[in-house]
Amino acid sequence: MVRETHLRVDDLIYPLFVTEGSGIRREVPSMPGVYQLSLDRLNEEVEDVLALGIPAVILFGIPDHKDEVGSGAYEEAGIVQRALRQLKKAYPELVLIADNCLCEYTSHGHCGLVRDGEILNDETLELLVRTAVTQAEAGADVIAPSNMMDGFVAAIRDGLDTAGFKHTPIMAYSVKYASAFYGPFREAAHSAPAFGDRRTYQMDPANVREALREARSDVEEGADFLMVKPAMAYLDVVKALREAFPHPLVAYNVSGEYAMIKAAARNGWLDERAVVLELLTGVKRAGADLIITYHAKDVARWLREEDRG
C-alpha cells in the first residue's frame, strides 16, 4: 500500500533482431534467450510478446549485404522496412519502434559516413532522414535515432514533417555513452566497428553536464522522448534528466547488463528473478518512464505470477 515505485508490464519495450533468410531462430551466444529471427519466424515471437502484455517492440536489422554508405538502412525493401510492414498488418495494436542508425548496414561498422577515417556528420544526416521516412512509410509508430550525429533530431523531424508524418514521434537516444556494455549487442547485430571506436560521437562516461546539454539540444530540435543508454551505471543521469525535463524518459537496459546477470544466474551466483526486478525497479525509481530491456518477457511472466499471488 505504501510502495512508492511500481514496475509494470506497460513500462517495457522488447528489442527484436530481424535477419535475412528463412527458418532462422538463432540464439545469440552472449545473450541467452535472445534470438536473431528471420521474417517467417518473427510473428511467433511477437505473438509471445503480445500474450505477455508487452505493448511495444524496437526493431534492429541484420542485412544480407553491407556497403560504405549503409544503403540497407534506407531501402524500401530493407529488412526492417519489410518487418515493419509485416507486423503492422498482423498486429496493428503493437507499438512499433524503429531504431534509426547506419552502423548495422555499413561495411566499416560506424554510425555515419566515413572519409579518410573521419565521420561526415552533415552528409550522414541526409541518409538518416531517408531511413526515418522509409521506416515511417513502412508502419513505424515511433522513430528512435541512435546515431548521435549533431543535429539528428532536427533533420529527422523536418524530413518526417515534409513527408507527411508530422504525428510520428521521435524517441531520441539523447544521452548515449561510449560504453563497454554494448559488446553482446554488437555480436547480435553484427555492428562492431571495423576500425577505431565511436568515442568521437558517443559520450564520455565521465560526463553528466554534457548529458543535460545533449538532451536540451534534442528537446529544442523537437524530440518527443528522451533516452539514457546504458541504464545501470548511469542512474544519476536518468535522475538528472528526470528533474530537468518533463518529457517521457526512456532508459535502455543494454546487452552487457543483461549478459552479466544471465551469466551469474547460470552459475548460481545470483537469484535472476530477484536481481532483475530489483534492478528495473531501481531504474524506474531513478525516474525512467519506460525501459528497453532484453529481460522484458521474463519480467512480464514474473509480474503476472506476482499478480496471481
Side-chain angles (χ1 to χ4, degrees):
M1 290 175 64
V2 296
R3 176 169 289 178
E4 299 172 12
T5 304
H6 293 270
L7 179 66
R8 304 172 304 165
V9 176
D10 286 346
D11 303 328
L12 306 176
I13 299 168
Y14 187 56
L16 292 171
F17 296 97
V18 189
T19 187
E20 297 284 1
S22 62
I24 297 173
R25 181 179 169 85
R26 182 187 303 120
E27 190 171 38
V28 180
S30 57
M31 300 175 70
V34 174
Y35 298 86
Q36 298 170 336
L37 300 160
S38 54
L39 292 176
D40 60 326
R41 300 295 303 273
L42 182 60
N43 285 28
E44 62 189 80
E45 183 77 0
V46 168
E47 287 174 5
D48 193 24
V49 167
L50 285 172
L52 290 166
I54 298 167
V57 296
I58 183 167
L59 295 170
F60 299 93
I62 305 169
D64 60 358
H65 73 278
K66 301 188 179 195
D67 54 38
E68 290 291 311
V69 295
S71 60
Y74 43 87
E75 291 174 345
E76 290 186 6
I79 183 63
V80 165
Q81 286 80 354
R82 283 151 52 211
L84 288 166
R85 290 189 188 95
Q86 176 177 313
L87 295 179
K88 180 55 64 179
K89 181 178 180 180
Y91 313 105
E93 72 277 24
L94 179 67
V95 177
L96 300 177
I97 305 169
D99 179 77
N100 179 290
C101 196
L102 301 184
C103 63
E104 296 131 82
Y105 306 92
T106 54
S107 52
H108 46 71
H110 280 282
C111 301
L113 300 178
V114 177
R115 182 185 300 145
D116 299 327
E118 189 172 316
I119 301 295
L120 304 178
N121 189 94
D122 293 353
E123 292 89 335
T124 298
L125 294 180
E126 298 177 15
L127 302 184
L128 297 172
V129 171
R130 290 174 61 183
T131 301
V133 171
T134 60
Q135 290 171 335
E137 290 173 341
D141 298 298
V142 181
I143 304 298
S146 61
N147 54 84
M148 290 297 286
M149 298 293 113
D150 291 338
F152 71 93
V153 174
I156 291 173
R157 181 73 275 155
D158 182 64
L160 289 172
D161 291 353
T162 300
F165 296 100
K166 294 183 178 180
H167 301 298
T168 299
I170 295 175
M171 180 184 287
Y173 284 64
S174 301
V175 183
K176 182 178 179 181
Y177 285 93
S179 172
F181 285 99
Y182 300 152
F185 174 93
R186 291 173 182 172
E187 178 186 21
H190 301 169
S191 63
F195 63 88
D197 55 41
R198 296 174 178 152
R199 292 181 178 273
T200 59
Y201 48 97
Q202 294 180 357
M203 283 183 48
D204 186 336
N207 293 355
V208 65
R209 293 192 298 272
E210 181 186 2
L212 292 168
R213 293 196 301 272
E214 291 280 0
R216 187 170 294 110
S217 174
D218 285 358
V219 167
E220 292 170 354
E221 292 179 18
D224 300 284
F225 299 76
L226 301 175
M227 189 190 302
V228 176
K229 179 183 180 183
M232 284 174 60
Y234 300 93
L235 294 181
D236 60 319
V237 182
V238 174
K239 181 175 175 59
L241 263 67
R242 175 73 294 146
E243 293 175 346
F245 303 101
H247 294 61
L249 182 57
V250 185
Y252 198 143
N253 176 217
V254 300
S255 60
E257 299 168 344
Y258 175 88
M260 288 193 305
I261 292 175
K262 283 290 185 182
R266 285 193 167 190
N267 279 297
W269 298 336
L270 291 176
D271 179 332
E272 181 179 3
R273 173 174 173 160
V275 167
V276 171
L277 292 177
E278 181 178 344
L279 166 63
L280 298 188
T281 299
V283 175
K284 286 291 302 293
R285 190 182 64 247
D289 298 299
L290 302 171
I291 304 172
I292 301 173
T293 178
Y294 304 95
H295 295 289
K297 290 170 61 179
D298 289 332
V299 170
R301 292 188 185 97
W302 296 332
L303 293 177
R304 179 175 292 180
E305 290 170 6
E306 287 185 358
D307 288 342
R308 289 172 177 170

